[in-house]
Amino acid sequence: MNLDYINSFILSFYDFLKNQIDLESRKGRLEIKNMRSPMRGVAILIGISGELNGTILIDMGVETAHRLSSKMNGEPSAEITDLFIATIKEFGNLVCGGAVVRLDQLKRSFDLSPPTVILGEQMMLATESKSEILVIPFLSDLGQIDLNIFSARQKVNGRQTRTQHAHHFLPKDELETYQAFAVESCEALNDVEVRILRLAEDPCEIAPIFRALHTVKGNSGL
Amino acid sequence: MELTPDLMTLDITMPIMDGIQTLEKILAHDAKAKIIMVSALGKEETVKNALEKGARSFIVKPFDRNTVLERLRKTMGRAAP
C-alpha cells in the first residue's frame, strides 16, 4: 500500500463526482483497520491484481446509493431495480477504472475484475488478521461513501523493480550487496508508510518509524 | 451472430468473456465489422492491444458527448457537420 495507490483512488473519486455529477466531495480521515467491518447497505466488490493484490469494497448506505443512482441516470431512484444495480456497478467500475488509468500513467500496472454489488446491512467482509483494510471515507451531498482497500501485507513493492537496472553497472559482489540493501530498504519504507498512516490514531508508532529510517540511513553508508 | 449492425460498441470488463475476446470472435466472423471499444480501463497497453486486434477506436469512460460523436463520425467515415 503506498501513496500512489491512495492518491489515484482519491483523485479518481473526486473527479468522477465533480465531472459526472457536478458534486464537490471531500475526503474524511484515512484509517487502517485489521478487523472485520460491517457493511452499510449497498456495497460494490471489485478484485484488483498487479503490484497490489486484493479487493476493493466501496460501501454506502441505501439512501446514498439511491441518490447516486438518481444523479447518474437523471431520474429518481427509490427501488432496487436492474437499472439501479447496473448503475451502482458502473459507479464502482468508473471510480476504480479511473484510478487504474492514473496508476498506469505512473507506470504501475493493475487489472480489475468485473464489479459485484452486495446488498445488506451488517454483513461483514472477513479477512485474516494479517490483512489490512485501508478505509478512505468520502463525504458529499450524497452521504458518506467509503472506499475500503483490502490487501495482504506486501513485503516488497514496486520500488524494487528499479534495482533491476543495476546489473548493467555493478560487478557481481557489489550487485548482491546493492540488491540486499534495496530489498531491506523497500521493506523498511513500506513499513514506515503504513505506520505513518496509523500515527494519527497511535502516537507510539513514532518510535518504530524513527528506528526504521535510522536503519535505512545507516545501511546507506555502506 | 444473426444481426449485421453498422457499428458496435463493446465494453471490456464483462463477466464470462471480456471485451477483447469478444472483439476477436466478432472479427473472426466478419473482418469488416466496425467496433468501438468503450471502457473505464483505459490503460495504454489495453488501448494499444484493442486497436492492434482490430477495434476502430477506443473511448475511455467516463466520456463526453463530443468525443463520442467525433469518434462515431470518424469510424463511420462521415465528416463533421
Side-chain angles (χ1 to χ4, degrees):
Chain A
M1 187 57 59
N2 71 31
L3 289 176
D4 280 345
Y5 309 147
I6 298 170
N7 286 336
S8 298
F9 279 97
I10 291 172
L11 290 170
S12 181
F13 194 94
Y14 281 158
D15 277 356
F16 178 82
L17 283 197
K18 186 89 184 79
N19 298 331
Q20 301 306 308
I21 320 180
D22 197 25
L23 266 187
E24 297 293 338
S25 60
R26 60 182 181 83
K27 171 178 64 66
R29 216 163 166 205
L30 264 65
E31 276 185 75
I32 297 228
K33 293 185 186 168
N34 283 96
M35 64 198 106
R36 286 154 272 169
S37 241
M39 297 192 240
R40 301 218 299 280
V42 177
I44 311 155
L45 197 72
I46 297 179
I48 186 163
S49 63
E51 279 179 30
L52 186 76
N53 288 306
T55 307
I56 297 175
L57 186 83
I58 300 176
D59 185 30
M60 66 192 89
V62 176
E63 291 304 319
T64 300
H66 281 298
R67 281 181 212 123
L68 176 62
S69 180
S70 302
K71 285 279 189 180
M72 285 176 70
N73 290 316
E75 57 182 58
S77 171
E79 284 161 12
I80 313 286
T81 58
D82 283 355
L83 177 63
F84 171 79
I85 306 253
T87 306
I88 297 298
K89 271 191 193 177
E90 187 64 359
F91 169 71
N93 194 34
L94 291 171
V95 168
C96 294
V100 165
V101 170
R102 283 177 188 279
L103 286 163
D104 186 54
Q105 288 160 0
L106 298 172
K107 306 290 177 213
R108 308 187 96 113
S109 185
F110 291 91
D111 282 304
L112 298 173
S113 72
T116 305
V117 174
I118 302 175
L119 301 173
E121 291 169 40
Q122 301 307 316
M123 293 213 299
M124 293 191 280
L125 198 71
T127 62
E128 299 92 342
S129 57
K130 70 177 184 289
S131 292
E132 293 186 327
I133 308 169
L134 174 70
V135 188
I136 310 174
F138 290 96
L139 305 153
S140 67
D141 285 347
L142 298 174
Q144 182 169 329
I145 301 176
D146 286 349
L147 184 70
N148 297 271
I149 308 179
F150 297 71
S151 68
R153 234 9 166 110
Q154 295 287 301
K155 285 218 139 187
V156 183
N157 71 6
R159 284 191 186 104
Q160 196 197 14
T161 60
R162 289 177 206 154
T163 70
Q164 287 162 6
H165 301 298
H167 73 273
H168 294 302
F169 310 111
L170 296 172
K172 191 172 188 291
D173 52 350
E174 278 190 41
L175 178 63
E176 279 165 5
T177 308
Y178 179 76
Q179 283 173 334
F181 165 73
V183 168
E184 278 177 35
S185 303
C186 284
E187 286 181 358
L189 291 173
N190 235 358
D191 191 51
V192 163
E193 279 190 64
V194 172
R195 288 184 190 279
I196 287 175
L197 284 171
R198 289 197 196 119
L199 199 57
E201 299 298 333
D202 181 5
C204 293
E205 292 284 13
I206 196 81
I209 290 172
F210 270 87
R211 277 200 297 274
L213 291 174
H214 197 78
T215 305
V216 172
K217 187 186 100 155
N219 289 345
S220 310
L222 288 170
Chain B
M1 300 277 199
E2 293 152 3
L3 309 166
T4 49
D6 293 322
L7 177 75
M8 282 175 266
T9 60
L10 265 186
D11 242 294
I12 293 192
T13 309
M14 299 192 287
I16 303 167
M17 188 161 64
D18 71 37
I20 303 288
Q21 291 172 319
T22 313
L23 170 72
E24 287 173 317
K25 276 213 156 178
I26 296 172
L27 288 172
H29 179 74
D30 173 12
K32 295 216 249 6
K34 293 189 167 133
I35 302 170
I36 299 181
M37 307 304 293
V38 183
S39 180
L41 277 183
K43 299 194 296 182
E44 200 184 312
E45 183 200 316
T46 310
V47 175
K48 225 173 127 196
N49 187 33
L51 296 174
E52 273 167 14
K53 295 225 158 97
R56 300 296 180 104
S57 193
F58 195 117
I59 300 175
V60 180
K61 289 197 279 193
F63 42 71
D64 66 272
R65 197 183 133 92
N66 291 333
T67 306
V68 174
L69 288 174
E70 180 233 316
R71 299 290 177 83
L72 283 177
R73 282 191 197 108
K74 229 173 156 179
T75 306
M76 297 305 290
R78 287 175 201 147

